[in-house]
Amino acid sequence: MSIDRVVMAFAGSVVLLSLLAAHYVSADWLWVTAFVGANLLQAAFTGLCPLAKILRAMGLRAGCAFE
């Protein structure tokens, strides 16, 4: 699996989990969703993604987005 796919899978999982937590626990969990969305948006323009750096250090192969 490439870094790009892991980042997308991780972001999607965090968004879905935070939406579930917002529904069942507290609406404050929506801040996690907002953070993930903002991070994805800035990564689209800058190419900088903290998770991608961590995954690269772990030895995963780069995809097209985070080279």
Side-chain angles (χ1 to χ4, degrees), residues 3-36:
I3 290 174
D4 300 351
R5 289 180 184 256
V6 173
V7 168
M8 289 188 291
F10 184 79
S13 298
V14 170
V15 166
L16 290 175
L17 288 173
S18 66
L19 287 175
L20 282 173
H23 181 72
Y24 290 109
V25 180
S26 168
D28 289 335
W29 281 98
L30 292 175
W31 287 107
V32 175
T33 304
F35 173 76
V36 171

